Amino acid sequence: MATQLQHDLLPQASHDELARQNFVQSLKLHLATKVSPGNKVVYEQRAKPRFEKETRRSPKDRHEVRRVMRDEPYYQTWSALQRTSQEMMWESVSSSVARQLPDIIARTSQNGTKPGSRLGTLALNPDLPIPAYHTAVDIHCQPGGYHTELGQDDVAAGAIYDRAVYIYSMSRLGALNDEMGQSVAVYMQHQYPDFQPQRILDMGCTVGQSTLPYVDTYPDAEISAIDVGAPVLRYAHARAEALGKRVHFSQQNAEQTNFSDGSFDLIVSHILLHETSSKALRNILKESYRLLAPGGLMIHQEVPQYQGMDPYDAFILDWDTYNNNEPFWGTLRDSDLSALAVQAGFTKEKVIETMIPSAIQVKARTQRFQGGDFGGGGQWFILAATK
């Protein structure tokens, strides 16, 4: 398994714990590259012909593909293994974190609260209501989600997340899990080369892995990051301090913050929107508009929308809606985000939806941005708007 950057806060796995984690990552990679493609074969050779024989037409959307695929033994086997690998991943990391949690909390305190050594700040609000879309399910099947506290000064959710996301992504998010933030930052440098934001806000930052690239890209900017979960924020603050990055973290709901109107030149989020409800999505876009200064830029990063996607591809991508505690995953991908941005206050002509390439692949291939041609490889969807 590729090596994750060993910063001061990262949980240290024992020999046996690392072996378990390596196995889980290998299983996920095997399922993704060797087993999952077989679903397409089953669909083309068995499920789709059966549907066409019964209806005299091809499946029109992912829902019809799911209806004809869900009883296929091959798909059922792959799906069960996919879910099992997710649960194994959390267990392999959670047990490791539990063993050393007191030490991680001590290291968090040393990196985050040592007088005179802090670069950024941390402000928690114990009275902040945790929204129901967080408390109703354990997001991504992470036990307790991102907000549950196991004790005083708890950081378990953050420590678990930092390590598990690296396994979950099969190291494709880079040594610091920061590929998403890197991708938006690289895109901005090419598309908005003269834009130099002085105040930046990252909404739904979890452990700040996607926040830190903006520190490097815009070194003169004041960067703030918010999340509803105290355990991930404690970890995020100490992690940033350990990595020498100045970020101001605070416990807030992106639907309604305590920042003043026009507080930021740039507002970003990274796969936040699908973790919220339809009502919360509208509130977040409205709050983004309120918080932007005139001429400011909003970029919300997600995985691709379903519109125009092949029904089978949308069906496979939609697996998370039904099997990975992502109840709003499919709803978000069916939403007209441009229309919602206009409803939030943005001018239609200043709202765009586009695909941007993975920063890691761009750097590896020294790829240039020319028109909208970003080439092949991993890509992200973004909703962008200027005020």
mmCIF file of all heavy atoms in Angstrom, residues 278-309:
data_model
loop_
_atom_site.group_PDB
_atom_site.id
_atom_site.type_symbol
_atom_site.label_atom_id
_atom_site.label_comp_id
_atom_site.label_asym_id
_atom_site.label_seq_id
_atom_site.Cartn_x
_atom_site.Cartn_y
_atom_site.Cartn_z
ATOM 1 N N SER A 278 -32.182 18.380 1.065
ATOM 2 C CA SER A 278 -32.564 19.301 -0.012
ATOM 3 C C SER A 278 -32.796 20.702 0.532
ATOM 4 O O SER A 278 -32.414 21.702 -0.096
ATOM 5 C CB SER A 278 -33.829 18.788 -0.711
ATOM 6 O OG SER A 278 -33.593 17.541 -1.319
ATOM 7 N N LYS A 279 -33.414 20.798 1.706
ATOM 8 C CA LYS A 279 -33.644 22.099 2.333
ATOM 9 C C LYS A 279 -32.318 22.735 2.729
ATOM 10 O O LYS A 279 -32.094 23.938 2.507
ATOM 11 C CB LYS A 279 -34.532 21.942 3.564
ATOM 12 C CG LYS A 279 -34.810 23.249 4.290
ATOM 13 C CD LYS A 279 -35.699 23.032 5.510
ATOM 14 C CE LYS A 279 -35.950 24.333 6.262
ATOM 15 N NZ LYS A 279 -36.803 24.109 7.458
ATOM 16 N N ALA A 280 -31.418 21.941 3.306
ATOM 17 C CA ALA A 280 -30.119 22.468 3.716
ATOM 18 C C ALA A 280 -29.311 22.941 2.519
ATOM 19 O O ALA A 280 -28.597 23.953 2.598
ATOM 20 C CB ALA A 280 -29.346 21.406 4.491
ATOM 21 N N LEU A 281 -29.411 22.238 1.400
ATOM 22 C CA LEU A 281 -28.706 22.633 0.188
ATOM 23 C C LEU A 281 -29.088 24.050 -0.217
ATOM 24 O O LEU A 281 -28.218 24.879 -0.520
ATOM 25 C CB LEU A 281 -29.024 21.648 -0.937
ATOM 26 C CG LEU A 281 -28.609 22.053 -2.354
ATOM 27 C CD1 LEU A 281 -27.105 22.235 -2.452
ATOM 28 C CD2 LEU A 281 -29.090 21.002 -3.355
ATOM 29 N N ARG A 282 -30.364 24.335 -0.210
ATOM 30 C CA ARG A 282 -30.825 25.680 -0.561
ATOM 31 C C ARG A 282 -30.314 26.715 0.438
ATOM 32 O O ARG A 282 -29.896 27.817 0.049
ATOM 33 C CB ARG A 282 -32.355 25.691 -0.623
ATOM 34 C CG ARG A 282 -32.922 24.947 -1.834
ATOM 35 C CD ARG A 282 -34.411 24.712 -1.721
ATOM 36 N NE ARG A 282 -34.984 24.237 -2.964
ATOM 37 C CZ ARG A 282 -34.907 22.979 -3.397
ATOM 38 N NH1 ARG A 282 -34.284 22.068 -2.647
ATOM 39 N NH2 ARG A 282 -35.442 22.620 -4.545
ATOM 40 N N ASN A 283 -30.327 26.347 1.700
ATOM 41 C CA ASN A 283 -29.842 27.281 2.724
ATOM 42 C C ASN A 283 -28.352 27.568 2.562
ATOM 43 O O ASN A 283 -27.902 28.705 2.764
ATOM 44 C CB ASN A 283 -30.109 26.713 4.116
ATOM 45 C CG ASN A 283 -31.578 26.692 4.472
ATOM 46 O OD1 ASN A 283 -32.377 27.431 3.911
ATOM 47 N ND2 ASN A 283 -31.948 25.845 5.420
ATOM 48 N N ILE A 284 -27.583 26.533 2.221
ATOM 49 C CA ILE A 284 -26.132 26.701 2.057
ATOM 50 C C ILE A 284 -25.824 27.620 0.885
ATOM 51 O O ILE A 284 -24.928 28.476 0.958
ATOM 52 C CB ILE A 284 -25.454 25.331 1.885
ATOM 53 C CG1 ILE A 284 -25.499 24.559 3.204
ATOM 54 C CG2 ILE A 284 -24.005 25.489 1.414
ATOM 55 C CD1 ILE A 284 -25.090 23.108 3.087
ATOM 56 N N LEU A 285 -26.557 27.471 -0.199
ATOM 57 C CA LEU A 285 -26.338 28.341 -1.352
ATOM 58 C C LEU A 285 -26.725 29.783 -1.025
ATOM 59 O O LEU A 285 -26.029 30.736 -1.425
ATOM 60 C CB LEU A 285 -27.132 27.827 -2.554
ATOM 61 C CG LEU A 285 -26.669 26.482 -3.121
ATOM 62 C CD1 LEU A 285 -27.574 26.035 -4.261
ATOM 63 C CD2 LEU A 285 -25.217 26.547 -3.596
ATOM 64 N N LYS A 286 -27.809 29.957 -0.288
ATOM 65 C CA LYS A 286 -28.208 31.311 0.125
ATOM 66 C C LYS A 286 -27.158 31.922 1.048
ATOM 67 O O LYS A 286 -26.834 33.109 0.942
ATOM 68 C CB LYS A 286 -29.566 31.266 0.823
ATOM 69 C CG LYS A 286 -30.736 30.963 -0.101
ATOM 70 C CD LYS A 286 -32.047 30.902 0.681
ATOM 71 C CE LYS A 286 -33.214 30.559 -0.238
ATOM 72 N NZ LYS A 286 -34.494 30.444 0.507
ATOM 73 N N GLU A 287 -26.652 31.104 1.973
ATOM 74 C CA GLU A 287 -25.643 31.601 2.894
ATOM 75 C C GLU A 287 -24.346 31.929 2.149
ATOM 76 O O GLU A 287 -23.663 32.914 2.473
ATOM 77 C CB GLU A 287 -25.386 30.576 4.001
ATOM 78 C CG GLU A 287 -24.416 31.019 5.080
ATOM 79 C CD GLU A 287 -24.967 32.111 5.987
ATOM 80 O OE1 GLU A 287 -26.060 32.655 5.702
ATOM 81 O OE2 GLU A 287 -24.314 32.450 6.992
ATOM 82 N N SER A 288 -24.017 31.139 1.144
ATOM 83 C CA SER A 288 -22.832 31.430 0.332
ATOM 84 C C SER A 288 -22.969 32.789 -0.340
ATOM 85 O O SER A 288 -22.015 33.586 -0.375
ATOM 86 C CB SER A 288 -22.638 30.342 -0.724
ATOM 87 O OG SER A 288 -22.388 29.082 -0.137
ATOM 88 N N TYR A 289 -24.154 33.048 -0.868
ATOM 89 C CA TYR A 289 -24.386 34.338 -1.532
ATOM 90 C C TYR A 289 -24.269 35.484 -0.527
ATOM 91 O O TYR A 289 -23.632 36.508 -0.800
ATOM 92 C CB TYR A 289 -25.771 34.348 -2.175
ATOM 93 C CG TYR A 289 -26.062 35.627 -2.933
ATOM 94 C CD1 TYR A 289 -25.574 35.821 -4.219
ATOM 95 C CD2 TYR A 289 -26.815 36.646 -2.350
ATOM 96 C CE1 TYR A 289 -25.829 37.007 -4.918
ATOM 97 C CE2 TYR A 289 -27.070 37.831 -3.036
ATOM 98 C CZ TYR A 289 -26.579 38.002 -4.319
ATOM 99 O OH TYR A 289 -26.814 39.171 -5.003
ATOM 100 N N ARG A 290 -24.845 35.310 0.655
ATOM 101 C CA ARG A 290 -24.794 36.361 1.673
ATOM 102 C C ARG A 290 -23.364 36.664 2.108
ATOM 103 O O ARG A 290 -22.989 37.822 2.310
ATOM 104 C CB ARG A 290 -25.620 35.944 2.887
ATOM 105 C CG ARG A 290 -25.675 37.012 3.992
ATOM 106 C CD ARG A 290 -26.407 36.526 5.230
ATOM 107 N NE ARG A 290 -25.609 35.590 6.026
ATOM 108 C CZ ARG A 290 -24.688 35.948 6.911
ATOM 109 N NH1 ARG A 290 -24.397 37.234 7.074
ATOM 110 N NH2 ARG A 290 -24.030 35.047 7.610
ATOM 111 N N LEU A 291 -22.566 35.634 2.235
ATOM 112 C CA LEU A 291 -21.217 35.790 2.772
ATOM 113 C C LEU A 291 -20.210 36.306 1.757
ATOM 114 O O LEU A 291 -19.141 36.794 2.136
ATOM 115 C CB LEU A 291 -20.721 34.451 3.328
ATOM 116 C CG LEU A 291 -21.443 33.917 4.562
ATOM 117 C CD1 LEU A 291 -20.901 32.545 4.946
ATOM 118 C CD2 LEU A 291 -21.306 34.891 5.729
ATOM 119 N N LEU A 292 -20.537 36.229 0.457
ATOM 120 C CA LEU A 292 -19.586 36.677 -0.561
ATOM 121 C C LEU A 292 -19.563 38.194 -0.670
ATOM 122 O O LEU A 292 -20.603 38.859 -0.680
ATOM 123 C CB LEU A 292 -19.949 36.092 -1.927
ATOM 124 C CG LEU A 292 -19.448 34.685 -2.244
ATOM 125 C CD1 LEU A 292 -19.883 34.286 -3.650
ATOM 126 C CD2 LEU A 292 -17.930 34.581 -2.119
ATOM 127 N N ALA A 293 -18.360 38.715 -0.782
ATOM 128 C CA ALA A 293 -18.190 40.133 -1.080
ATOM 129 C C ALA A 293 -18.473 40.355 -2.562
ATOM 130 O O ALA A 293 -18.396 39.413 -3.368
ATOM 131 C CB ALA A 293 -16.770 40.570 -0.730
ATOM 132 N N PRO A 294 -18.805 41.576 -2.974
ATOM 133 C CA PRO A 294 -18.989 41.847 -4.407
ATOM 134 C C PRO A 294 -17.766 41.411 -5.212
ATOM 135 O O PRO A 294 -16.633 41.710 -4.835
ATOM 136 C CB PRO A 294 -19.184 43.369 -4.444
ATOM 137 C CG PRO A 294 -19.775 43.689 -3.107
ATOM 138 C CD PRO A 294 -19.086 42.761 -2.140
ATOM 139 N N GLY A 295 -18.019 40.690 -6.288
ATOM 140 C CA GLY A 295 -16.930 40.161 -7.100
ATOM 141 C C GLY A 295 -16.354 38.864 -6.579
ATOM 142 O O GLY A 295 -15.437 38.298 -7.188
ATOM 143 N N GLY A 296 -16.904 38.376 -5.458
ATOM 144 C CA GLY A 296 -16.414 37.132 -4.868
ATOM 145 C C GLY A 296 -16.827 35.912 -5.671
ATOM 146 O O GLY A 296 -17.735 35.964 -6.511
ATOM 147 N N LEU A 297 -16.177 34.794 -5.390
ATOM 148 C CA LEU A 297 -16.383 33.550 -6.134
ATOM 149 C C LEU A 297 -16.771 32.415 -5.194
ATOM 150 O O LEU A 297 -16.183 32.248 -4.125
ATOM 151 C CB LEU A 297 -15.084 33.177 -6.874
ATOM 152 C CG LEU A 297 -15.051 31.845 -7.620
ATOM 153 C CD1 LEU A 297 -16.055 31.830 -8.772
ATOM 154 C CD2 LEU A 297 -13.638 31.578 -8.147
ATOM 155 N N MET A 298 -17.777 31.644 -5.594
ATOM 156 C CA MET A 298 -18.207 30.437 -4.879
ATOM 157 C C MET A 298 -17.921 29.223 -5.746
ATOM 158 O O MET A 298 -18.258 29.216 -6.921
ATOM 159 C CB MET A 298 -19.717 30.512 -4.587
ATOM 160 C CG MET A 298 -20.330 29.213 -4.067
ATOM 161 S SD MET A 298 -22.159 29.278 -4.010
ATOM 162 C CE MET A 298 -22.576 28.982 -5.753
ATOM 163 N N ILE A 299 -17.296 28.181 -5.149
ATOM 164 C CA ILE A 299 -17.080 26.920 -5.869
ATOM 165 C C ILE A 299 -17.420 25.762 -4.935
ATOM 166 O O ILE A 299 -16.757 25.568 -3.914
ATOM 167 C CB ILE A 299 -15.622 26.771 -6.362
ATOM 168 C CG1 ILE A 299 -15.288 27.867 -7.376
ATOM 169 C CG2 ILE A 299 -15.422 25.388 -6.980
ATOM 170 C CD1 ILE A 299 -13.898 27.740 -7.977
ATOM 171 N N HIS A 300 -18.461 25.022 -5.290
ATOM 172 C CA HIS A 300 -18.820 23.810 -4.562
ATOM 173 C C HIS A 300 -18.447 22.616 -5.443
ATOM 174 O O HIS A 300 -18.919 22.490 -6.566
ATOM 175 C CB HIS A 300 -20.312 23.790 -4.239
ATOM 176 C CG HIS A 300 -20.723 24.823 -3.240
ATOM 177 N ND1 HIS A 300 -20.322 24.788 -1.921
ATOM 178 C CD2 HIS A 300 -21.500 25.937 -3.370
ATOM 179 C CE1 HIS A 300 -20.829 25.823 -1.274
ATOM 180 N NE2 HIS A 300 -21.538 26.543 -2.127
ATOM 181 N N GLN A 301 -17.607 21.747 -4.903
ATOM 182 C CA GLN A 301 -17.076 20.600 -5.655
ATOM 183 C C GLN A 301 -17.833 19.331 -5.281
ATOM 184 O O GLN A 301 -18.095 19.062 -4.108
ATOM 185 C CB GLN A 301 -15.588 20.445 -5.351
ATOM 186 C CG GLN A 301 -14.913 19.274 -6.033
ATOM 187 C CD GLN A 301 -13.504 19.087 -5.502
ATOM 188 O OE1 GLN A 301 -13.278 19.114 -4.297
ATOM 189 N NE2 GLN A 301 -12.555 18.888 -6.388
ATOM 190 N N GLU A 302 -18.182 18.542 -6.287
ATOM 191 C CA GLU A 302 -18.909 17.287 -6.080
ATOM 192 C C GLU A 302 -18.467 16.260 -7.125
ATOM 193 O O GLU A 302 -17.607 16.542 -7.965
ATOM 194 C CB GLU A 302 -20.431 17.531 -6.200
ATOM 195 C CG GLU A 302 -21.088 18.051 -4.930
ATOM 196 C CD GLU A 302 -21.197 16.980 -3.843
ATOM 197 O OE1 GLU A 302 -21.010 15.787 -4.153
ATOM 198 O OE2 GLU A 302 -21.486 17.331 -2.682
ATOM 199 N N VAL A 303 -19.067 15.056 -7.053
ATOM 200 C CA VAL A 303 -18.882 14.089 -8.129
ATOM 201 C C VAL A 303 -19.920 14.399 -9.200
ATOM 202 O O VAL A 303 -20.852 15.172 -8.962
ATOM 203 C CB VAL A 303 -19.013 12.631 -7.619
ATOM 204 C CG1 VAL A 303 -17.944 12.335 -6.591
ATOM 205 C CG2 VAL A 303 -20.391 12.359 -7.049
ATOM 206 N N PRO A 304 -19.803 13.814 -10.409
ATOM 207 C CA PRO A 304 -20.652 14.233 -11.536
ATOM 208 C C PRO A 304 -22.152 14.101 -11.284
ATOM 209 O O PRO A 304 -22.610 13.219 -10.561
ATOM 210 C CB PRO A 304 -20.205 13.301 -12.666
ATOM 211 C CG PRO A 304 -18.805 12.928 -12.318
ATOM 212 C CD PRO A 304 -18.776 12.832 -10.822
ATOM 213 N N GLN A 305 -22.913 14.994 -11.931
ATOM 214 C CA GLN A 305 -24.363 14.935 -11.922
ATOM 215 C C GLN A 305 -24.846 13.797 -12.838
ATOM 216 O O GLN A 305 -24.141 13.375 -13.745
ATOM 217 C CB GLN A 305 -24.954 16.258 -12.398
ATOM 218 C CG GLN A 305 -24.641 17.443 -11.492
ATOM 219 C CD GLN A 305 -25.316 17.318 -10.138
ATOM 220 O OE1 GLN A 305 -24.715 16.799 -9.192
ATOM 221 N NE2 GLN A 305 -26.530 17.793 -10.026
ATOM 222 N N TYR A 306 -26.061 13.333 -12.603
ATOM 223 C CA TYR A 306 -26.603 12.228 -13.395
ATOM 224 C C TYR A 306 -27.138 12.675 -14.748
ATOM 225 O O TYR A 306 -27.263 11.851 -15.668
ATOM 226 C CB TYR A 306 -27.723 11.528 -12.623
ATOM 227 C CG TYR A 306 -27.238 10.720 -11.440
ATOM 228 C CD1 TYR A 306 -28.045 10.545 -10.316
ATOM 229 C CD2 TYR A 306 -25.979 10.126 -11.434
ATOM 230 C CE1 TYR A 306 -27.608 9.806 -9.228
ATOM 231 C CE2 TYR A 306 -25.538 9.392 -10.356
ATOM 232 C CZ TYR A 306 -26.354 9.233 -9.251
ATOM 233 O OH TYR A 306 -25.912 8.507 -8.181
ATOM 234 N N GLN A 307 -27.485 13.942 -14.888
ATOM 235 C CA GLN A 307 -28.050 14.407 -16.145
ATOM 236 C C GLN A 307 -27.083 14.159 -17.298
ATOM 237 O O GLN A 307 -25.927 14.563 -17.264
ATOM 238 C CB GLN A 307 -28.376 15.898 -16.068
ATOM 239 C CG GLN A 307 -29.046 16.442 -17.316
ATOM 240 C CD GLN A 307 -29.404 17.915 -17.196
ATOM 241 O OE1 GLN A 307 -29.026 18.573 -16.226
ATOM 242 N NE2 GLN A 307 -30.134 18.439 -18.162
ATOM 243 N N GLY A 308 -27.570 13.480 -18.323
ATOM 244 C CA GLY A 308 -26.762 13.167 -19.490
ATOM 245 C C GLY A 308 -25.857 11.969 -19.327
ATOM 246 O O GLY A 308 -25.183 11.559 -20.280
ATOM 247 N N MET A 309 -25.838 11.363 -18.152
ATOM 248 C CA MET A 309 -24.996 10.207 -17.907
ATOM 249 C C MET A 309 -25.682 8.935 -18.403
ATOM 250 O O MET A 309 -26.911 8.819 -18.376
ATOM 251 C CB MET A 309 -24.694 10.083 -16.406
ATOM 252 C CG MET A 309 -23.656 9.021 -16.042
ATOM 253 S SD MET A 309 -23.323 8.934 -14.248
ATOM 254 C CE MET A 309 -22.568 10.543 -13.952
#
